[in-house]
Each structure stands twice: as C-alpha cells, then as structure tokens.
Amino acid sequence: MSAPSPHRYRWLLHIDLDQFQVAVERLRSPDLVGEPVIVGGNGDPTEARKVVTCASYEARAQGVRAGMPLRSAYRKLPDAVYLPLDMPAYDAASAQVMDTLRGFGHPVEVWGWDEAYIGVGDLDEPDHAAGSAHEQHEQIGDAQILQIATDIRAAVADRCGLASRVGISDNKQRAKMATGFAKRDVTGVASGLSLDLPPKVFLLDARNWNPLMGGSPPIDLWSVGPRTADKLTDMGITTVDALVATPREVLIERFGPHQGNWLYVLCRGGGDSTITVEQWEAKSHSKSRTFPADLTDPDQIATAATELTDELLDQVRAEGRVAFRVAVTVRTSTFYTRTKSMKLPAPTTDRDAIVPNVAGLLTRFDEGRPIRLLGVRLDLVPGDEQNRADEQNREVTS
C-alpha cells in the first residue's frame, strides 16, 4: 500500500477539544459537572511518579496543570475528584469525534485524542470541468469558512457531547495559534479583520497577524520552546516584531540552517499548509453506563454487563472486526475504579463465547460494593492481521 501523499489547502482548521479526558468522564458521570476533576495514573493522588494528564477548568483555576505530579495536585486540591486514565474510553470518544469531522467531506489529519486538522480548498487538485482548484478555493471566503467552523463545533457537540474550539488560518502553525485566541474567547471584530467572529472560533492570517502577534514574546509562536526563547532573549529579541527584523543569516548563524530558516518563516506567519490523510483503525471499542442509583444486586449487574456487551458486538460486527480480548471496568460509589481483562480462547464475535467471559470477569471484583459505573471493552484484532487470517482460511477451504 502506497503512503498517502500530502495536499496543500487554502484553509487549515485546527479543532481542539476542551478538557477532553475530563469531558469524557463527565459524559459518563454528569454529577461531576462543575466539580474540580483531575485525571491521571490509576486515580490515586498519593501514588509516586504519576502525573496529571488532564484537569478540569475548576482545578486549573486552583493552579493544577497537566504534567504536574499527582501528589502536588493533591496538596493543592485534596478534595478534588481523582480519576484513573481510561484509554479505551478516550479512544472510543476520540474515534467518534474524528468520524464526525470526516463526515463533512474534507480531509482530516488526526494529531491525537483531542485535536485534528481539516483542509478546505485543495490547492493541488488538477483542473477539471467544474473549474480549476484555484477558482474553487477562491469561492471559499471568510463567511463560508467561519460557517464551516461553526457547523463543525455544533456537530461535535450534538453527536459526541463534547465542546471544542476551532482556529482557522492558511497553515497549521498559524491555525494552532488561532485556536489559542479562540480559547481565550476573543470574539467580535478581530484586529485587521472586518468581520465578527463566532464564539469559540478565531481566524488568524496575514491581515491580523502583525497587530495581534507583533508585540508578543517569541515563545507565543507555536513550536518555540523555552530554550529557544531564552537564546532569543540573550540576543535581545523579546518580541515577534524584533524577530522579524532579525536578518535570516543572523538566525542561521545562531541556530543552524534548519531552525534558523524555520524561525525566519514562523515569525512572519508562515508554516505547513498540507494535510496528510492516514487511514485510522480503532484498536478497541468500549461501552459504559453510569447508573442513576448504584447497583448492588448481582443479577442487575450481570444484566447490565450483558446489555453493554450486546451493544458492543453489534458495533464490532457492523465494522467487520473480530475481538481477541474482553475487559470489564467497575467504578464504585467512592469513585474507586478498577479494570479486569482476559484474552479470549480465540478471536471471535460469537455472543455465546464472549458473554460468559464477561460474567466471569465480574466475579473477580469485590462483591457488595455499590457500582455507579460499569463498562465493557472489546480489544480488536488489527485489520491487516485479520485480513491475512481470512485469506488463509479461504485458501484452506477452497
């Protein structure tokens, strides 16, 4: 299979999901809305060498940040809700978002669970009967691209239950920085633009680059880290305008040809305008349910787990995939969360082979603890391995 080729686009949209992991947890447990929530490690804030991976805005207001040791977060906010990482749940939520983005018909380049780029107005398309690519992308003006961004935010909220911000520009770096302005809720008429921007959306391009970025420190440029910023300060370069005024050869002499040329381009608002679409494949699917009243009856718990398993199997079969491992997650009324998993005897989507293993995993949890959330996950055989197995089976039976 040949590697996907990148295409250049007139508009690059950067979509960033708000407090993603916390938001997913709040979808499962709505009573967490408004509470300071911190996700990291196994949810034990006293555990050594574990860090915060996501903090709610309520926790951030108290100084908790991603990358902070969980113990430090606990000293700041001992009464916050601490939750463990649930990778399959985040994989599933992210996949739903990315599928929603692809549904708009534009190429999507995924950059992680909570962010992606969309290209609009292909500059590399050849001429055809409907007109050249240049003629087509010229028709996509400010109003149209702002409407696309607004529609994307609405679709992600409606279909996935997640809030997002969208930055718009003509390259990835500037679009990423535009998302920063969107996060600050900079609305209304932006400097240099004669248009009103929708909430949570920001457009940053050559028209408003200098008014908005010229007086900013170089570290505000995306991809400029603290070490590079310190070197620039040592050179007397403390603003983007000062960096623009620095000759290219001076930057190359100090930083080398690669980084020196990159800084010269970046401070002028330049960057990468390509999108590379790579085929995405889910590694697992999971379903979970938060109950309005904690479950304590074993029969109710078993029934709920079976219902989740049936829903999962419908999804897996519809995609033509096969499961090789099953896992069950239980969250108690005290928010203590544990996951038990086992490898299936053979890859399958046979209900009679999977449901009893789910029931068996349930017996490995402490009985009698009230269950507020129950989840089931199926890990899937990678598509290429499954295809090879299918081909071998056909050869044997032919």
Side-chain angles (χ1 to χ4, degrees):
M1 182 181 295
S2 60
S5 59
H7 277 226
R8 296 176 302 120
Y9 291 86
R10 166 64 182 92
W11 295 107
L12 279 293
L13 284 73
H14 177 252
I15 295 89
D16 184 87
L17 301 174
D18 291 348
Q19 48 182 7
F20 173 65
Q21 293 163 359
V22 168
V24 173
E25 297 293 348
R26 284 174 168 172
L27 285 176
R28 301 195 288 185
S29 301
D31 52 324
L32 295 178
V33 174
E35 297 293 328
V37 178
I38 298 169
V39 179
N42 66 1
D44 180 358
T46 65
E47 188 176 14
R49 293 181 290 184
K50 299 296 183 180
V51 300
V52 175
T53 58
C54 187
S56 68
Y57 290 129
E58 295 83 2
R60 295 179 198 180
Q62 302 301 316
V64 177
R65 296 287 183 271
M68 173 184 290
L70 274 174
R71 286 181 171 182
S72 299
Y74 187 63
R75 286 194 292 269
K76 287 179 178 289
L77 275 178
D79 295 329
V81 176
Y82 289 85
L83 299 175
L85 284 166
D86 188 344
M87 308 294 234
Y90 308 144
D91 283 340
S94 178
Q96 185 182 22
V97 171
M98 301 310 163
D99 285 344
T100 299
L101 299 182
R102 294 184 185 100
F104 282 85
H106 304 291
V108 177
E109 184 174 319
V110 179
W111 274 52
W113 273 330
D114 60 348
E115 65 176 323
Y117 286 94
I118 293 179
V120 179
D122 196 332
L123 298 177
D124 294 328
E125 280 291 326
D127 291 2
H128 49 74
S132 69
H134 176 76
E135 292 169 346
Q136 292 175 57
H137 78 68
E138 281 295 321
Q139 297 173 5
I140 305 174
D142 293 338
Q144 291 87 346
I145 200 65
L146 290 174
Q147 187 60 56
I148 290 172
T150 301
D151 292 344
I152 285 171
R153 289 194 66 250
V156 170
D158 292 344
R159 299 173 196 172
C160 310
L162 299 171
S164 62
R165 313 291 170 96
V166 181
I168 307 169
S169 191
D170 52 359
N171 63 67
K172 287 175 179 171
Q173 287 69 27
R174 194 146 58 179
K176 176 87 170 181
M177 287 182 267
T179 308
F181 285 104
K183 287 182 178 181
R184 285 180 256 162
D185 294 325
V186 180
T187 57
V189 178
S191 299
L193 296 179
S194 57
L195 67 152
D196 288 329
L197 299 177
K200 320 301 183 185
V201 173
F202 201 86
L203 193 159
L204 180 66
D205 64 12
R207 292 169 292 178
N208 58 351
W209 175 259
N210 286 335
L212 291 174
M213 294 299 299
S216 301
I219 200 169
D220 284 358
L221 297 171
W222 185 53
S223 77
V224 173
R227 293 179 63 183
T228 299
D230 288 343
K231 291 179 182 179
L232 289 170
T233 298
D234 291 342
M235 298 170 64
I237 301 170
T238 59
T239 66
V240 173
D241 278 341
L243 185 54
V244 170
T246 305
R248 185 197 296 260
E249 56 269 23
V250 172
L251 295 174
I252 291 175
E253 180 180 359
R254 181 67 179 86
F255 295 97
H258 177 75
Q259 190 178 14
N261 277 305
W262 177 240
L263 288 170
Y264 185 85
V265 170
L266 188 66
C267 67
R268 288 164 171 78
D272 176 16
S273 62
T274 65
I275 291 288
T276 302
V277 178
E278 297 183 2
Q279 186 174 0
W280 182 88
E281 179 181 84
K283 296 180 180 179
S284 64
H285 286 312
S286 63
K287 297 278 185 182
S288 63
R289 187 161 299 149
T290 301
F291 305 102
D294 294 342
L295 298 185
T296 56
D297 181 77
D299 290 337
Q300 288 183 322
I301 296 170
T303 298
T306 300
E307 291 174 351
L308 290 170
T309 304
D310 286 336
E311 292 175 13
L312 269 180
L313 284 172
D314 287 343
Q315 182 180 4
V316 171
R317 289 173 183 144
E319 295 179 3
R321 304 292 299 280
V322 177
F324 73 92
R325 185 188 302 276
V326 62
V328 174
T329 296
V330 167
R331 179 174 296 164
T332 66
S333 56
T334 60
F335 285 95
Y336 182 64
T337 306
R338 298 179 70 189
T339 298
K340 305 286 187 181
S341 67
M342 64 168 292
K343 189 174 182 179
L344 296 168
T348 184
T349 54
D350 183 356
R351 183 181 187 276
D352 292 338
I354 293 177
V355 168
N357 285 302
V358 171
L361 287 172
L362 283 172
T363 65
R364 293 166 57 183
F365 293 92
D366 296 335
E367 292 186 7
R369 290 195 177 193
I371 294 177
R372 64 176 285 112
L373 178 143
L374 182 65
V376 177
R377 182 183 86 237
L378 294 178
D379 293 340
L380 307 177
V381 175
D384 54 351
E385 292 182 17
Q386 186 174 322
N387 291 337
R388 285 196 296 270
D390 291 343
E391 290 175 3
Q392 291 171 358
N393 290 335
R394 284 195 293 270
E395 290 175 0
V396 170
T397 57
S398 61

